Amino acid sequence: MRRYTCITLFPDLIASFGDTGIVRRARVAGLIELATVNPRTFADDARGTVDDAPYGGGPGMVMMARPLRLAIAAARARQPGPSHVVYLSPQGTPLTEATLPQLAQHEHLVLLCGRYEGIDERVVDADVDSEWSIGDFVLSGGEVPAMAVIDALTRRLEGALGDERSAVEDSFANGLLDHPHYTRPEIIDGMPVPPVLMSGNHAAIARWRRQQALGRTWRRRPDLLAQLELTAADRTLLEEYRAGAQNDSHDADNQAKIDGSNR
Ligand code: 9D3
């Protein structure tokens, strides 16, 4: 049983997340347990104050050390074994499919969610084991990143996904973006399903999907493709993709938008 305890001023956000989809199913199956501790319950005044003005001046407020440290202690106290305390922050190491396994090792993760400008740095020094960001864009707090971490870790657990193949076939598990998907009806506003998918030729379908995955990764994420050592067969598929001008109209559109905004 994995346990995830979020230290958050907005426990309702985490609770509704825990009641939905794969995370809910993993909870019901006894694979994970979700908990929250609200630092406001450890405020030392009647108003429940958890933030204060920054030393040195400047805008915004800083989350106070005392309520946070008491909340972390309460989270630890509920776990018989050791806990790993994660601070989600824009200053953290970027989380990727490659760095995620470092968090997957721990039975109990305490996920510290900041609000305002951030938390008193002495909490990081004294209590935090690792600090992570989910990317270079500005959010309002650590709750959405904490939910992203819990979601990504939960779907990796054996038995969490309905279809066991999904985890291994996931985007990034093989270093490539996914191929396109289609379902009924066969024609939408004159747009047909690629005929190969209707052919029943499973080898041809697998080849087409691999080619689409390679081609889309080449167009959209050359950084990912550069990490890979392609086989001769993959290189041939990619050459063939490059030769096809009609491939990946979305990216032609997206590229036109990027070019336009740079002009
Ligand atoms: C507008 C405030 N910014 C001043 C330069 C700093 C700032 C403080 C707090 C920016 C964002 C936040 C709240 N963000 C998170 O807690 C956070 C986060 C994120 O914003 N982006 C990506 N990953 C993460 S993990 C936690």
Side-chain angles (χ1 to χ4, degrees):
M1 164 84 82
R2 300 284 164 143
R3 178 180 282 161
Y4 306 109
T5 305
C6 296
I7 310 294
T8 174
L9 294 172
F10 300 103
D12 295 354
L13 207 51
I14 307 298
S16 64
F17 163 73
D19 243 340
T20 308
I22 285 171
V23 173
R24 178 194 173 91
R25 196 164 59 198
R27 276 184 44 242
V28 170
L31 293 171
I32 67 164
E33 200 172 278
L34 259 189
T36 57
V37 178
N38 190 338
R40 203 173 293 286
T41 60
F42 297 98
D44 57 11
D45 63 356
R47 306 180 52 177
T49 306
V50 292
D51 62 326
D52 204 343
Y55 277 121
M61 299 293 270
V62 176
M63 288 182 83
M64 297 160 62
R66 193 184 125 88
L68 286 176
R69 299 194 69 193
L70 289 171
I72 293 167
R76 288 187 195 278
R78 298 179 187 170
Q79 178 78 0
S83 304
H84 183 87
V85 180
V86 168
Y87 176 37
L88 287 321
S89 99
Q91 287 73 46
T93 305
L95 261 176
T96 67
E97 203 67 20
T99 55
L100 204 61
Q102 292 179 47
L103 293 181
Q105 307 172 42
H106 307 285
E107 281 281 323
H108 184 209
L109 283 187
V110 177
L111 299 144
L112 187 49
C113 307
R115 282 274 155 172
Y116 317 115
E117 290 303 306
I119 72 177
D120 190 307
E121 191 67 19
R122 288 166 295 189
V123 177
V124 181
D125 298 339
D127 296 322
V128 169
D129 297 308
S130 64
E131 188 169 345
W132 301 91
S133 162
I134 63 163
D136 294 336
F137 47 92
V138 178
L139 298 168
S140 310
E143 285 79 7
V144 166
M147 291 187 279
V149 167
I150 294 165
D151 186 84
L153 291 176
T154 298
R155 51 181 296 113
R156 297 166 73 102
L157 294 176
E158 192 77 35
L161 300 181
D163 177 356
E164 291 304 319
R165 288 179 314 166
S166 301
V168 275
E169 286 182 4
D170 258 350
S171 180
F172 300 118
N174 62 7
L176 293 174
L177 300 183
D178 210 353
H179 56 76
H181 301 272
Y182 299 86
T183 186
R184 288 186 290 188
E186 208 177 316
I187 300 176
I188 300 174
D189 288 348
M191 299 178 288
V193 172
V196 63
L197 299 180
M198 314 296 291
S199 70
N201 182 339
H202 297 297
I205 291 167
R207 182 183 184 281
W208 181 86
R209 286 179 169 164
R210 182 77 186 173
Q211 183 170 53
Q212 290 293 314
L214 287 162
R216 280 152 56 112
T217 307
W218 167 68
R219 263 202 195 279
R220 302 182 187 198
R221 296 293 304 276
D223 59 314
L224 292 180
L225 199 61
Q227 307 283 305
L228 298 176
E229 195 84 72
L230 295 186
T231 65
D234 279 347
R235 285 201 303 274
T236 303
L237 285 174
L238 190 51
E239 283 308 320
E240 202 180 288
Y241 182 96
R242 284 174 169 134
Q246 80 288 19
N247 277 318
D248 217 341
S249 56
H250 295 291
D251 290 317
D253 291 350
N254 287 334
Q255 198 59 51
K257 282 176 199 149
I258 292 163
D259 293 347
S261 65
N262 287 343
R263 211 168 284 133

